[in-house]
Amino acid sequence: MSLISTHHILPKRWPLLACLLASLFFLGGCANNDDEGDIAADSGEQQIYDEAQRYLNARNFDLAIRALQALESRYPFGRYAEQAQLELIYAHYGAYSPEAAVEAADRFIRLHPQHPNVDYAYYMKGLATATASQDFLSRFTPTDKTLRDTSFAKEAFAEFSQLVTRFPDSPYATDAKSRMVYLRNLLARNEIHVANYYFRRGAYLAAANRGRYVVENFQGTPAVGDGLAVMAQGYLILGMDDLAQNAIDTLVLNYPEHPALNKKGEFDTVYTQEGLQRSIINKLSFGLFDPPRPPQFDSRKGIS
C-alpha cells in the first residue's frame, strides 16, 4: 500500500465458577491481542514495514501505529524511515487520535520541509485539525456542526490555506479547496447562530454587528442573506431606520427569495422598538430572563 493515496471517526448473577471462566477467557483474549501487536526482536526492516502495511490495509490502526513506531525506532535511517513517519500521521488519524496526527504531521514538516511528499503532511494536518473537536459518536450521528465550537474549523481552514498557497499543484490542493469552502460556510453560519443568540438576549446592536461581520467577511457564502436580514432586524429594533432600509434594499436586490421577504419583496419579519417591549423581569435581570422574542434567522429552515 502506498500512503500517498489517501485512504481517505446482567441478567441473573452467574455462578462463581462461570464468572471465573469467563474472566479467564476475556483476559486470555486480551493477551492474544497484545501478542499480535508485538514485533519480534529479530524482525527485519522489510518485515516490519510489510506488517505495518497489512495492519493499515486491514484498518487495524492501533497495531499499525505500533509497527510503524517500531520501524522508525529500530531503523531511524533505513529506507522506510521517512515513509513510516508519513504513514504514522494517517494511522493516528484513522485511530481517531487527531491530536497525535497533528503532532506527527508537525514533526514530519519540521524534519523534512523539502520532502517531495511534505504536502501530504500539510493536508493530513488540516484533516486532523478539522476533526479535533469531534468525539467518537459525533462522527457517526447527524449533528449541526455550525452549532459547535468553531475554533478548530478556523485552524483547519488556515492549514488547508497554507497547503494551497505553498503547493498549488499538489494532488491534494483540489480537495483542500473544497474543504475550505465548506469550512468557510460553516464559520459564516456559526456567526448567524451567535446573532440569533444575541437577539434572544436582547443585545440587538451586537446581533446587527454579527450580521454585518458576515456580510463583510463571508461574501459568497449562503449565510450572507441571513446576515443582511439580521442587520435589517437589528437596526429596525434600534430605531436606525436608514441603516435598516439599506440592508433591506441589498437583501431584496441580491436575495429576492429570502424567507424574510414576503411575496411583494417587503421585509416581512418586522419587529420595531414598539413591538419588542421588555418586561419588568427582563429589565431587572439585565436581559437574562423573560426576553422579548424576535425572529430567528436561518434561511436553511425558514424564519422562526
Side-chain angles (χ1 to χ4, degrees):
M1 179 209 69
S2 173
L3 181 76
I4 307 309
S5 64
T6 44
H7 304 273
H8 28 317
I9 225 159
L10 277 170
K12 297 179 181 179
R13 181 174 298 177
W14 291 3
L16 179 58
L17 180 59
C19 288
L20 290 173
L21 290 174
S23 300
L24 290 173
F25 178 82
F26 176 78
L27 292 174
C30 292
N32 289 337
N33 287 337
D34 288 341
D35 291 342
E36 185 182 3
D38 288 339
I39 306 300
D42 59 349
S43 295
E45 181 182 9
Q46 184 68 55
Q47 182 180 355
I48 299 176
Y49 181 74
D50 290 343
E51 191 168 2
Q53 299 308 298
R54 179 166 60 85
Y55 290 139
L56 285 172
N57 288 328
R59 303 184 66 80
N60 192 335
F61 296 111
D62 290 334
L63 293 183
I65 290 169
R66 295 177 65 172
L68 291 168
Q69 289 175 336
L71 178 63
E72 185 184 1
S73 63
R74 295 187 191 183
Y75 302 96
F77 305 106
R79 57 183 296 199
Y80 294 116
E82 293 178 1
Q83 184 70 10
Q85 292 172 11
L86 270 178
E87 297 191 356
L88 192 58
I89 303 170
Y90 172 70
H92 281 305
Y93 177 77
Y96 302 106
S97 300
E99 295 85 359
V102 169
E103 183 179 347
D106 277 333
R107 178 170 177 263
F108 186 89
I109 293 168
R110 184 176 66 255
L111 293 176
H112 313 288
Q114 304 302 320
H115 193 280
N117 294 318
V118 71
D119 57 333
Y120 179 82
Y122 280 102
Y123 175 70
M124 288 302 301
K125 184 180 178 183
L127 285 183
T129 302
T131 60
S133 64
Q134 300 178 22
D135 55 37
F136 180 81
L137 291 177
S138 67
R139 299 190 180 202
F140 303 100
T141 55
T143 58
D144 187 350
K145 294 181 175 60
T146 64
L147 293 170
R148 301 173 66 91
D149 174 24
T150 59
S151 58
F152 291 104
K154 293 176 183 177
E155 293 177 21
F157 185 92
E159 297 298 343
F160 287 129
S161 178
Q162 189 171 193
L163 166 64
V164 171
T165 301
R166 293 191 177 191
F167 308 97
D169 299 324
S170 168
Y172 310 107
T174 299
D175 186 70
K177 290 177 183 177
S178 297
R179 293 178 185 277
M180 289 172 68
V181 170
Y182 167 80
L183 291 169
R184 192 165 179 265
N185 290 343
L186 184 152
L187 292 170
R189 177 57 54 189
N190 179 261
E191 293 291 332
I192 298 299
H193 288 313
V194 174
N196 285 331
Y197 169 76
Y198 283 144
F199 272 134
R200 291 194 297 270
R201 289 292 304 274
Y204 306 122
L205 181 59
N209 287 339
R210 286 285 179 162
R212 182 163 58 88
Y213 181 80
V214 171
V215 172
E216 292 177 351
N217 295 279
F218 293 98
Q219 281 294 318
T221 67
V224 170
D226 286 340
L228 288 166
V230 164
M231 291 172 63
Q233 183 62 90
Y235 291 142
L236 281 171
I237 295 173
L238 294 168
M240 301 177 179
D241 294 340
D242 290 341
L243 291 176
Q245 192 58 52
N246 287 338
I248 292 171
D249 291 343
T250 306
L251 180 66
V252 171
L253 179 64
N254 294 280
Y255 301 91
E257 303 300 322
H258 193 276
L261 302 173
N262 62 23
K263 294 181 179 180
K264 297 180 181 180
E266 301 168 335
F267 193 69
D268 200 31
T269 315
V270 178
Y271 281 74
T272 62
Q273 286 177 308
E274 292 75 17
L276 280 173
Q277 295 297 329
R278 297 171 60 190
S279 68
I280 297 297
I281 295 176
N282 183 253
K283 292 178 181 178
L284 292 177
S285 65
F286 299 99
L288 287 175
F289 301 107
D290 194 29
R293 301 293 180 184
Q296 298 293 286
F297 294 94
D298 190 340
S299 55
R300 301 173 303 172
K301 307 173 184 177
I303 305 302
S304 59

